[in-house]
Structures are given as C-alpha cells and as structure tokens.
Amino acid sequence: MKISVLIPTYKRPHWLRQCLLSVVNQTLKPYEVIISDNDPEKNTETEKIVYEFAKEHKFIKYEKNKENIGSVENYKKLLHMADGDLIQFLPDDDLLTPWALEELAKPLTEYEDVKLATGKGAFIGENLNVIPNLALFNQFYLRYPEIFKGFMDWDDFIKEMIINGIALTGFPLFKKKDLDFDIFRFKERELISTVDTFTYFGLARKGGKVFLSDKITYLMRNHEKSYRWGKNIHTIGFEERLRFLEDDALEFFNVRHKIKKHKILKPYETLILEIASCLEYTGNEEYRKIFKNISNKIKKCAQEYVINNFEMRNKREAFSIIIITYNSEQTIKECLKRILENSKVSDEILVIDNNSKDKTRQILIDFQKKFPNVKVILNQENIGFAKAVNQGIKASKNEFIVIINPDAIVVTPDWLEIFYKELKENNDVCVVAPVSDQAPHYQFFIKFTKISGDITPYILRYFYNDYSEDLGSFFGFCFATRKSKIQELGMLDENLILGMEDFDLSLRIREKGYKIVLKPSVLVQHIYHVSFNSDKENAEKLNQISIWNFAKKLIKKYGYGNVPSPDILLLGKEEENPMNYLLLNLKGKYKFLFNFSGKTKGNDFFKKRAIELMSKPQISCITVNFFSSDDVFELALSLKKSDYEKIYLVVVDNSEDETEFKKLQDGLKEIIPERFLLIKNINNGFAGGINKGIKFAKEELKSKYIWILNPDIVVDKKSPFELLKTLLYTDSLAVTCKAKDYKTGLCLYDGLKASEVPFKEEDIGIIPALFLSGGNFFAKAELFEKIGYLNEEFFLYFEDNEFMDRMRKENIKLIYTPYTHIWRKVKDKGFLFNATKLYYFTKNFLFFYSEKSKNKEEFVGSLPHILNSFAQYYNQLMSDSDGKAKENIKSIVIGIIHYLEGKKGKQDWQKDLDNMRNQRQQQNKDCSSKIKAEIYNLAFELIENPERQDKFQKLLENLYSYEFSKMVGFENAKELIPQLANQ
C-alpha cells in the first residue's frame, strides 16, 4: 500500500527540516510527502528547505497557499491532495521514529479489518530532549504497558479511550478509504483541538480492530509556540473533550449501548478536576464558564431524573420511616424536616424516643402536633437501639420500611422512590442502603466520586441513576427493607444493644439467600455519633457489650479461631486493609477469634497448641552487634528477666574488633552464662549477620522458633511467651508486636505504621501487619526454608521491606499483636543524622522500588515520592541547629551515585566520596548519557558545597530525567535519528 505523509507548516523552517529528516530516513519510504505551507510570502527559508530535500527525494511535493487558510483548512487541503492508500498526518514540529511507517503499515496491509495503527508516543522539547513531566507521565506513559500490546477490538479500544481517558500522541496511520466522515467537524461544530482524538474514535466506530505497537513511533514536541498551546486552545480542548462524552457522540462512536452511565463519570471527573485546577492556577474566566456549564448540565440532568421519579410518588406504596432518638435535640429537627420535605403525606414517620434527658421529647411532641403523619412513642426507659427498632417495626402499619438515625440528613429528594423501586422489582433484595459522608469505605461516597462539594449529590444522582451494587454488609444509619422480610429473618438481635445489629442482620440476610443493595444515587449525610457522645461513657460500654455479644454469636456459628476476618465476614471478600478490623474491635477479649491462616482449626487445635506453648519450646533470639555491646548487654538482661526460660541469645558480632568481641564475651558470660552464643563475623551488614545467626540457630541449636531483634531493644518480660502464643494460636509463620519508645513509652510501631518520632497508639486488636519492621520479628524456622533469608545486597535498610514482599507473594501474613510489646531506644535524631545509615537508606530506597516495580513505568511513577523524601531530608539537615548535620547531605549524594552505578551491598562509601574529586574528569569522559554526566557534575559540586540547595534540587530533577529517559528508551531524538545531530 502507498503511504502519504501529510505535513502542514507555517513559518517554522528549522523544525520542518527536522520533521522531514525523520520522514526521509524511514526504513519504509513513503509513496509521497506533501507539505502545505500557510505562509504566502515568497523565497522563504521554508521553501529553500523543501526544495533542498526535494532534489534528493522525488516523493516530496510542495504546495504554497496564496493566503494563510488556517490550520484546519490546511489539513483538509492535504487530505484532498493525497493519492496514497495510507494516510499519516504529521505537524511540522513533530517527528516519526525511523521504524514508524514500516511498523504501522504492516498490520494495515496484511489485515483488512485493521482500521488504524499507532504506537507509543514520547514528548520532546525544543532541543529534542525527552520531557520528564509528571503530568504527561500520568496522562500518557503510565498506562502504556497495559495498552500497547498489539491488536485490540474496536469497541474495547474506544471504551478504553473514553472511560479510562487513554490519551494517544499524534495521528494514527489509517486507510484513506475508511475515512467516511469529516474528521474536522462533529454535529455542525468545527473541531480544533481534538481532531486527532476524533480521528481515532471515528475510524474505529464501525468495527474491526486497531493495532497498538509497543514501540515508540511518534515524537511530539511540546513548546510555547505549539499550536496546541495557542490562545484559547486549552479551553477549546476541554469543551471538545466534554462533547465526546455526550450521548449523541457516544451514539456516533457506536458505543452508547455498551457503556453504562456511571462509567462515563471517570472521564467527566478527570476533566472537572483539570478545569478546576486550571481555574485555581490562572483565574481565567473561560475555565469558570466551562465549569459552570458542566455543573449546570449535570444538575439539570439529575433534576430531570428526580422529576420523573416524583411522577410515581403518588403511585408507590407508603413507607413507615422509623427513627430511634436518644438525646438527639441537636439533629432531630433537621432530620425530620428533610424527611417531611422528601416524602408524601401517607408515609408514616414513627419516632421512638428512648427516654431522652434533653429537649428531644418536646421537639418530637411539637412535630407530632404539626404534622399528622408524625407519630411519637415515648419510652420510659432506654431499652437500647435494637429493641427500640423492633418496637417500631411492630408498631408500623406499612410493608415498606426505612430505619434512619436521628443524626442522618436526607440529601437526595427522591430517595424513597429509589428505595421503593429496588425493593418492589427485586424480590431477592432485602435491604437497600445509601451512600454517606460518614460511613465505612464501601458506603462512603468518595468511592463513587472524587468530586466533593455542592455538586456531589447531583453527580451521584445523575451518573448512578440505574446503578446498584451488592454489599456483603451495610452500615445501619439508614436503610430500607420490607416488614415481611425483616420479620422472616427474626428482627434485630436485641442482645446487640448498641451496635453490631446491622452486621448481624447482614449475615442473616446473606444466609437466607437475600441481597443487600447499595444505591450510590442516594446520598444521606451522617452527623456521626451525636446521640452517642451525649452519654459517651455509657454508650461506649453498651457498644462494647454489643461487640462481645456479636463475637459470641460468631464463635457459636464458626468455632473459636475459625471466624473469617472482618473483611471476608462483612464485605464478602478479602482485602489487605487492617482498618476493617476497626469494625470489630474486641478490646482484648476473644483475642484469637479470627482465622488468619485460612486453614480450618479442629476441635483440639487450641488444646494441642496450649500443650506446646506450656512446654516452653526453645526460642533462639538473633541480634547483630556493631560496636553496640552495651545495648546487647541490656537486651540480654531483659531476656534473663523475662518469664520465658528456654531462650538463647545468638549474637553475631560484625564489629571485626577483638576488643569489642572480648567485651561481649565477658559481659554475656556474666549476665546469661548458659544462654548465649557469640559468633565472630565479617561485617556483611545487618542482613548478613542475621542470616548467619538464623542458620546457626536452625542447624546447631535445632531451633523451631526464631526471634530477630535489633541490639537496641529491651524486651518486656511477657513478650517471648505472648509472641509464641500469638504465633501458635493464629497458626501463622511470622508475628510481631508493638514497639514503644524506651524514654517516653509512646508507640514507634503498631503494625500499620512505624516512625522514629513517637506517636499515640490506637489498638484495633490482632491484625495482619501492613509491613515488617526488621528490628522485632518472631517466626517459625520453616518460614526461611519457604521464602529464603534476608537479602544481603541491601546490607542495611529495606531488607525487611523486600522480605515482606516475598511473604506477600507467597500469601504469608505477618500477624501483629498489640497485647505485648518491646522497648526500643531512639538514641539520636534518627538515621538522617548518622552519615553511614543515611547513605545506605538513600541507596536502598532507590534499589528497593526499582526492583519491586513490575515495569519501568511503575518505578518512574514512584520516583516523585522518593525524590520528595530526599528533598525533605535535605531541608531537615540544613535546618540542624549545630550545622554539623549539613555534611550528611554528602551521604545522600553518594548514595544516589552508587545507585546509578549499581553498587549494592557493603561499600566503602566514604573512600569513594573522598576519591570523587579526582574522578570527576574521568567520570564525565566515561558517561555515555548527558543527563548522567550532569548528575555527576552536580554531585561533585555538592560534595564541595553541600549547602547549594539549587544544585541539590537540580540533582533530583536530573535523576528523574535519567530514569524517565530510560523508561522511554532514549534521552534525545538524535539517538534515534542521527541525521538530526547537525540540525
């Protein structure tokens, strides 16, 4: 097939030369290259360049327009002039990679049903360098590995582009005969900014496939003079992209029936947030106008749905709306006001007051006098929430029921109609629930829209009109049900006085085969725990009794130790989210209720484990010494004072110093003469020392249980026993516990986070830890047989993170218990103020994320977080009062350099730091990468003067540029098209 490359140009001769060089150096030559020049002047530099190329390449044609006809008309003219079978539009400031035409023409030539072909794009600047821009990364590069995998069906392609906002660079290569629509106009409106996007959509709309090459084929130049950045082009782009999301556009693209309305919300949100960001940054009234227009459109559409539902309000059956109050004077007026506004006269509003001590009862009496459908029952004692709800259900007169808290405020006007339709039409639905601003994450409105503000209820109402989602459980601040169904289930459990009644009911609903349905189109605000806080002490006590009573029911149903984790139990699926355990905070009772291992525990499980526990099997405690003998002695003393006798302390001495070794030997003989083993070792780091100790404990001591501890730890007397108990009773391979600051007693590690700055602890029971803190880790010896030992390449820092990653890959959970603790000494200001620690932390931070990332794009996505951390460390070091810490900035610099050089494990970094001044000239000579050479230059300057913050920031920027260019595959377009070198 013949290829026509069509180049519109206007007064950019230098870039046109580069553009033409990229075309004439294609591995597959085009049939023709047509340049249409919008500059009517004679004897221009553009003319000279084109005629120069045309002398050597006869396929180049030149058309000079008599006047500037504008960009769009110029494109149209080129298309009309083209004689080729395949069309490639190419603006004069963009480039093709040398293989682009050959790579993209092949599938179009071989397969009739392939409608277009394109490859990955990269963004370059005026100087042809790759642009390492985070916004461009998020919009384009981030999803490249998922998208560019060869052939894709047309409808999947269009849905990806629309729903996930896949942005492609430049125009595709396509067959001219397939162009049966005007790519420059849609619905009588001329397209200016999104012609390339519209071309993709339109070509794919009639079926077939698209080809997405995993090679970079297009280089898009970003610069201030670009047409893409012209006046008003940005705002026009927003308007045109929004236009493509409307129903008539989706109909034209032939996907309207294939994309649910709520799926369109994601690209809408992306655009709204972009517009809001531009408005905040520029204050441009055009952005304000677009934002207002889109808001008004969403509100209008949402209101139309509401109005349509109001037409069925008189036809639907009446509801009984049940509210239980207790000291609710702060919220009950607004609650009732909204319900009365958004219900009908025949809807019964039944309020049961549990003997409030404030003005609630009088408020209710006043409402009852004013509104005939408000009925009040005044209890003479507080009978509890669950019992009062049952009282209300029995007293209600209607089949359809809503139970709503007095601190819940209805926002969606047609909420009852939405609930009614779901319950009436679906007999298998037992409960319908709304979303809220105060609810567990599965009912939190943020799960459904990122837009927070006045427009939120309209977004939810419009985009989720027909959407329902099945839930494993619901949060009972507001829900609708049928009286007959809730009676069939046995009503609410009155033993669950205050709390858990909703989760208990959820389990019974699922057991009966009924469904719990969430309607995100209904928003109910929840002013959380107002009544609860009015009598907080008593409420907390009743709530805890309810949780324990619920736990008893679970034990009866599943067996102790076999209760599914809260996420499986309440959500119906396992999540790596320990915060789900907050829903069932047992406060130290029934500690081993849940099944963490996934294996069913037999009736004699705990008996057998108790026997093993009480036999006090041998534990080997492993620590590594590096001139920290005084700490080791204190650790040994704490082990001696513990309640556990059969514990050996294995000390691996990495000091490589005979005096230190002798001091250790003498001191340990005095403290625990029969219970220590001292191993002389070369300094191969924390990981290497620990590994040597583990192997010794397994092979020589035959230990089944290994406890890894930092030397600066002091153990609580109960911690060995409690850790072993947790390990045995949870049937786990690895456990850990709370770490407290030795000085303040505050928390340093709680399974969810770790910090060298102590924080206030918040225990939520035994949970799967989010990460491993290598300084306190208790495990079965078989764990190391399953996944190996600590990675010694890290030497110091991040070896525990890498170990935890391997555990996750094998589905091995690290179990954290708050019911015992160790003490950790924080002696200095942290690793920042120890040059060696900071060096290894810096280097390993980069190595860890680069190696754990699935691809280069994932690593580049994590780099801003890493580099921002380095910037913060720099600021902390610079602000040190005595000024000495500024020297440690050099540790960060050499850590970055060693990462670039691939130097893992133990390094004589201080020697390398001293030698860097002498290596500067040779280092630059050896650098094949200009960016890398610049990093070295900046590093040398910072070693001379670490206080140059501008140089440090530039170093980080260049590191990002270097990794960005590695992801793309080149630093400068000249690497791909050598002919550009002289341009």
Side-chain angles (χ1 to χ4, degrees):
M1 284 187 175
K2 301 173 182 177
I3 303 175
S4 294
V5 177
L6 310 178
I7 305 175
T9 190
Y10 180 68
K11 290 188 177 182
R12 297 195 288 206
H14 176 66
W15 286 337
L16 176 63
R17 181 189 291 277
Q18 294 177 350
C19 177
L20 285 171
L21 278 170
S22 78
V23 176
V24 300
N25 285 289
Q26 290 291 302
T27 55
L28 174 65
K29 304 302 179 189
Y31 164 70
E32 63 183 2
V33 177
I34 307 176
I35 299 125
S36 182
D37 188 358
N38 254 342
D39 183 2
E41 294 181 16
K42 295 180 180 180
N43 300 319
T44 62
E45 186 66 25
T46 297
E47 284 183 49
K48 294 176 186 177
I49 288 170
V50 173
Y51 290 138
E52 177 189 325
F53 273 90
K55 285 179 185 177
E56 185 176 348
H57 306 283
K58 302 303 179 185
F59 51 75
I60 292 180
K61 302 173 184 179
Y62 180 62
E63 180 78 10
K64 179 181 272 291
N65 298 322
K66 293 180 181 179
E67 61 180 356
N68 187 343
I69 60 176
S71 177
V72 170
E73 290 303 318
N74 210 14
Y75 273 102
K76 288 181 181 178
K77 182 176 180 178
L78 282 164
L79 186 60
H80 178 74
M81 293 173 64
D83 289 331
D85 305 298
L86 303 179
I87 303 296
Q88 177 67 65
F89 283 114
L90 183 63
D92 61 358
D93 52 348
D94 292 345
L95 310 173
L96 297 177
T97 56
W99 52 81
L101 295 181
E102 182 177 10
E103 174 74 8
L104 302 181
K106 186 177 179 182
L108 286 164
T109 303
E110 293 181 355
Y111 302 101
E112 181 60 30
D113 65 340
V114 175
K115 302 302 180 185
L116 62 90
T118 191
K120 296 175 180 176
F123 289 84
I124 57 174
E126 295 186 31
N127 56 3
L128 301 174
N129 286 336
V130 171
I131 298 173
N133 182 282
L134 184 59
L136 292 174
F137 171 81
N138 289 332
Q139 190 174 0
F140 292 90
Y141 299 99
L142 182 61
R143 295 203 65 215
Y144 274 6
E146 302 168 47
I147 303 302
F148 290 92
K149 293 182 177 180
F151 296 99
M152 183 184 287
D153 288 336
W154 70 274
D155 54 344
D156 290 337
F157 172 69
I158 293 179
K159 283 190 284 186
E160 276 287 345
M161 288 191 74
I162 292 174
I163 296 171
N164 293 316
I166 300 304
L168 303 174
T169 50
F171 286 89
L173 187 66
F174 61 90
K175 299 169 187 171
K176 188 175 182 181
K177 70 181 181 67
D178 287 335
L179 200 63
D180 60 349
F181 65 101
D182 186 349
I183 64 174
F184 305 99
R185 181 172 289 274
F186 179 66
K187 296 290 182 180
E188 307 307 318
R189 289 180 62 181
E190 189 176 72
L191 297 174
I192 297 174
S193 175
T194 56
V195 174
D196 48 359
T197 302
F198 189 58
T199 302
Y200 282 103
F201 287 150
L203 286 167
R205 79 190 193 284
K206 287 192 173 180
K209 296 180 182 298
V210 301
F211 177 73
L212 301 168
S213 171
D214 66 350
K215 295 181 179 178
I216 290 178
T217 58
Y218 199 96
L219 304 179
M220 182 175 280
R221 194 178 329 232
N222 265 25
H223 56 90
E224 290 183 0
K225 298 176 184 177
S226 171
Y227 170 74
R228 290 180 288 272
W229 298 103
K231 187 177 180 181
N232 296 328
I233 288 295
H234 207 214
T235 54
I236 289 168
F238 281 133
E239 290 174 333
E240 291 179 359
R241 286 161 65 190
L242 287 165
R243 185 82 178 85
F244 293 159
L245 300 176
E246 294 178 1
D247 288 344
D248 57 352
L250 299 176
E251 193 72 50
F252 178 74
F253 302 143
N254 202 18
V255 292
R256 182 181 176 187
H257 61 294
K258 296 185 177 182
I259 301 179
K260 299 288 187 185
K261 179 66 72 175
H262 69 277
K263 292 286 188 182
I264 298 295
L265 176 55
K266 182 178 178 182
Y268 260 110
E269 282 184 333
T270 301
L271 284 167
I272 290 171
L273 292 170
E274 282 183 31
I275 294 165
S277 177
C278 290
L279 176 59
E280 183 180 6
Y281 182 70
T282 66
N284 189 325
E285 285 302 313
E286 287 299 313
Y287 293 122
R288 193 181 307 279
K289 182 180 174 182
I290 297 170
F291 191 85
K292 185 177 179 180
N293 287 342
I294 189 172
S295 298
N296 288 341
K297 182 205 163 185
I298 291 171
K299 287 179 180 179
K300 182 182 175 183
C301 292
Q303 287 163 350
E304 286 174 2
Y305 283 138
V306 173
I307 291 166
N308 289 338
N309 259 351
F310 280 172
E311 291 176 3
M312 66 170 266
R313 175 166 285 183
N314 292 329
K315 299 175 185 177
R316 69 161 170 81
E317 297 172 60
F319 272 84
S320 289
I321 301 165
I322 300 169
I323 308 170
I324 312 302
T325 57
Y326 178 73
N327 293 347
S328 307
E329 67 174 350
Q330 294 179 48
T331 59
I332 189 60
K333 285 183 182 179
E334 185 65 18
C335 176
L336 286 170
K337 178 174 171 287
R338 292 293 186 92
I339 291 171
L340 287 163
E341 287 174 352
N342 298 302
S343 60
K344 60 182 182 178
V345 175
S346 59
D347 291 326
E348 173 188 39
I349 303 172
L350 187 58
V351 189
I352 295 126
D353 183 71
N354 262 338
N355 198 22
S356 293
K357 304 302 182 187
D358 61 3
K359 298 176 183 177
T360 302
R361 292 162 87 89
Q362 186 57 52
I363 292 169
L364 296 179
I365 291 167
D366 292 343
F367 266 92
Q368 182 174 240
K369 288 176 182 177
K370 191 173 180 180
F371 300 99
N373 58 336
V374 174
K375 298 178 182 178
V376 178
I377 298 173
L378 302 175
N379 289 334
Q380 297 308 304
E381 61 178 327
N382 188 345
I383 62 173
F385 179 78
K387 191 170 184 178
V389 169
N390 288 345
Q391 181 185 5
I393 293 170
K394 290 169 187 173
S396 64
K397 65 180 184 181
N398 297 313
E399 167 65 4
F400 294 92
I401 291 173
V402 167
I403 286 114
I404 183 167
N405 283 6
D407 54 5
I409 311 298
V410 174
V411 178
T412 308
D414 56 335
W415 67 308
L416 292 176
E417 285 68 41
I418 295 170
F419 287 165
Y420 176 77
K421 184 180 179 184
E422 195 70 45
L423 290 168
K424 185 70 175 178
E425 293 181 359
N426 302 299
N427 194 48
D428 59 345
V429 173
C430 180
V431 160
V432 186
V435 295
S436 179
D437 56 346
Q438 289 284 344
H441 64 89
Y442 51 89
Q443 275 183 259
F444 192 22
F445 80 86
I446 289 295
K447 177 184 174 185
F448 299 96
T449 179
K450 298 174 186 174
I451 309 294
S452 178
D454 294 341
I455 196 175
T456 303
Y458 297 100
I459 288 174
L460 293 168
R461 185 65 193 86
Y462 173 55
F463 286 99
Y464 290 97
N465 179 56
D466 296 321
Y467 180 79
S468 301
E469 184 173 295
D470 288 351
L471 291 180
S473 63
F474 67 96
F475 195 45
F477 68 96
C478 175
F479 66 97
T481 186
R482 279 177 175 264
K483 185 174 183 176
S484 56
K485 280 193 169 66
I486 203 163
Q487 285 175 332
E488 179 190 347
L489 290 165
M491 310 284 275
L492 300 190
D493 186 339
E494 295 179 7
N495 285 321
L496 308 178
I497 309 164
L498 187 62
M500 298 293 113
E501 73 289 327
D502 40 12
F503 296 145
D504 174 67
L505 184 60
S506 298
L507 295 181
R508 287 186 278 137
I509 288 169
R510 282 158 47 192
E511 285 171 6
K512 276 282 186 181
Y514 290 134
K515 289 183 178 179
I516 302 164
V517 169
L518 180 69
K519 297 297 290 186
S521 54
V522 180
L523 176 63
V524 175
Q525 292 178 340
H526 188 202
I527 307 168
Y528 199 52
H529 271 184
V530 173
S531 298
F532 190 97
N533 290 332
S534 68
D535 187 5
K536 192 172 182 180
E537 186 178 343
N538 188 51
E540 286 179 350
K541 179 182 176 183
L542 294 175
N543 178 245
Q544 198 58 63
I545 291 170
S546 293
I547 293 173
W548 289 333
N549 286 343
F550 184 49
K552 290 175 187 175
K553 291 188 75 171
L554 295 174
I555 292 166
K556 186 175 180 180
K557 177 177 174 58
Y558 295 101
Y560 190 66
N562 285 320
V563 175
S565 62
D567 41 14
I568 295 174
L569 184 74
L570 303 176
L571 308 183
K573 57 184 177 181
E574 187 167 14
E575 290 185 353
E576 193 178 348
N577 182 6
M579 297 310 290
N580 288 325
Y581 286 74
L582 267 174
L583 302 172
L584 270 170
N585 194 342
L586 297 166
K587 299 287 186 186
K589 205 165 185 178
Y590 310 116
K591 292 179 185 176
F592 303 103
L593 178 74
F594 299 114
N595 186 339
F596 292 100
S597 67
K599 296 179 284 187
T600 302
K601 300 177 179 68
N603 293 331
D604 60 348
F605 173 85
F606 284 102
K607 182 179 178 181
K608 287 181 177 179
R609 294 305 170 100
I611 291 170
E612 183 173 1
L613 179 65
M614 298 315 294
S615 71
K616 298 271 183 91
Q618 175 190 294
I619 298 171
S620 287
C621 177
I622 318 294
T623 196
V624 176
N625 176 68
F626 185 75
F627 296 101
S628 50
S629 50
D630 290 337
D631 285 330
V632 173
F633 296 153
E634 201 164 356
L635 167 61
L637 187 61
S638 68
L639 289 171
K640 180 181 180 180
K641 292 179 179 178
S642 76
D643 295 339
Y644 206 93
E645 295 176 1
K646 295 182 183 177
I647 188 163
Y648 283 91
L649 177 60
V650 179
V651 181
V652 181
D653 182 28
N654 276 5
S655 303
E656 299 183 5
D657 182 274
E658 287 298 329
T659 303
E660 176 74 2
F661 185 83
K662 183 71 165 55
K663 180 181 177 182
L664 273 173
Q665 197 171 44
D666 293 344
L668 291 172
K669 274 182 184 177
E670 185 176 333
I671 298 168
I672 43 173
E674 306 297 327
R675 292 164 53 192
F676 83 93
L677 295 111
L678 183 59
I679 301 170
K680 189 178 290 187
N681 192 37
I682 59 168
N683 185 11
N684 55 355
F686 177 79
I690 289 295
N691 287 344
K692 188 159 191 172
I694 294 169
K695 290 170 186 174
F696 180 87
K698 282 175 60 186
E699 295 165 9
E700 302 298 325
L701 303 179
K702 309 300 180 187
S703 293
K704 282 175 61 180
Y705 303 104
I706 307 290
W707 191 8
I708 297 167
L709 286 172
N710 275 351
D712 61 352
I713 297 294
V714 173
V715 307
D716 181 77
K717 66 177 183 177
K718 295 179 181 178
S719 53
F721 182 83
E722 287 296 329
L723 281 167
L724 179 59
K725 181 180 179 181
T726 303
L727 188 80
L728 292 172
Y729 283 12
T730 59
D731 200 19
S732 302
L733 288 176
V735 297
T736 187
C737 69
K738 183 183 298 179
K740 291 186 177 185
D741 179 31
Y742 195 59
K743 291 179 182 176
T744 66
L746 293 173
C747 199
L748 295 170
Y749 171 77
D750 66 355
L752 303 178
K753 59 183 179 293
S755 173
E756 292 191 338
V757 178
F759 56 89
K760 190 176 179 180
E761 60 201 73
E762 286 186 53
D763 295 332
I764 54 175
I766 295 175
I767 58 172
L770 282 182
F771 63 94
L772 169 65
S773 175
N776 174 33
F777 176 44
F778 195 100
K780 287 185 179 179
E782 65 185 87
L783 173 68
F784 304 99
E785 294 163 14
K786 280 195 171 190
I787 66 168
Y789 294 84
L790 299 183
N791 187 337
E792 296 183 19
E793 287 188 333
F794 285 100
F795 188 77
L796 185 67
Y797 290 117
F798 287 94
E799 66 286 315
D800 46 3
N801 303 72
E802 192 274 340
F803 191 81
M804 184 72 170
D805 267 6
R806 278 186 277 146
M807 286 177 63
R808 281 198 183 100
K809 287 173 185 174
E810 295 295 326
N811 291 318
I812 299 171
K813 294 176 183 175
L814 172 68
I815 304 303
Y816 165 85
T817 176
Y819 302 119
T820 191
H821 62 270
I822 52 90
W823 304 93
R824 187 179 153 227
K825 304 170 198 165
V826 180
K827 294 183 177 178
D828 50 32
K829 299 176 184 178
F831 70 91
L832 288 182
F833 297 87
N834 181 304
T836 297
K837 288 181 178 180
L838 182 55
Y839 159 75
Y840 283 108
F841 185 92
T842 300
K843 182 180 71 167
N844 291 341
F845 202 169
L846 290 161
F847 274 129
F848 173 70
Y849 278 97
S850 66
E851 291 172 7
K852 77 169 284 198
S853 300
K854 291 180 290 188
N855 48 51
K856 293 175 183 176
E857 284 80 4
E858 186 178 296
F859 177 52
V860 169
S862 65
L863 257 182
H865 160 67
I866 299 169
L867 300 182
N868 184 56
S869 296
F870 291 159
Q872 290 179 26
Y873 301 157
Y874 181 94
N875 291 335
Q876 287 177 256
L877 292 169
M878 286 292 291
S879 64
D880 183 49
S881 57
D882 61 18
K884 294 178 182 177
K886 293 174 186 176
E887 285 295 302
N888 288 1
I889 290 167
K890 297 176 184 179
S891 299
I892 302 177
V893 173
I894 194 69
I896 290 171
I897 294 299
H898 278 184
Y899 160 73
L900 289 173
E901 294 174 348
K903 292 184 177 180
K904 298 182 178 180
K906 183 180 180 181
Q907 298 295 328
D908 192 346
W909 66 273
Q910 289 171 316
K911 182 179 178 182
D912 284 359
L913 188 64
D914 294 335
N915 291 337
M916 278 191 74
R917 295 183 185 87
N918 305 324
Q919 295 173 349
R920 180 171 188 169
Q921 190 173 356
Q922 185 62 38
Q923 205 68 265
N924 285 339
K925 184 179 176 182
D926 292 343
C927 266
S928 56
S929 162
K930 288 186 178 179
I931 302 176
K932 196 171 181 179
E934 179 63 14
I935 291 172
Y936 276 109
N937 284 331
L938 290 163
F940 294 133
E941 291 182 39
L942 281 163
I943 286 166
E944 293 293 333
N945 185 2
E947 295 185 25
R948 285 294 303 272
Q949 188 166 6
D950 58 329
K951 299 291 183 182
F952 188 81
Q953 188 58 42
K954 195 70 178 172
L955 176 74
L956 299 185
E957 289 171 6
N958 275 274
L959 179 58
Y960 187 64
S961 297
Y962 178 68
E963 293 296 345
F964 207 99
S965 64
K966 279 170 60 182
M967 175 191 74
V968 175
F970 66 98
E971 288 180 13
N972 189 292
K974 296 172 188 177
E975 296 175 35
L976 307 180
I977 312 166
Q979 292 79 4
L980 294 173
N982 297 322
Q983 301 307 307

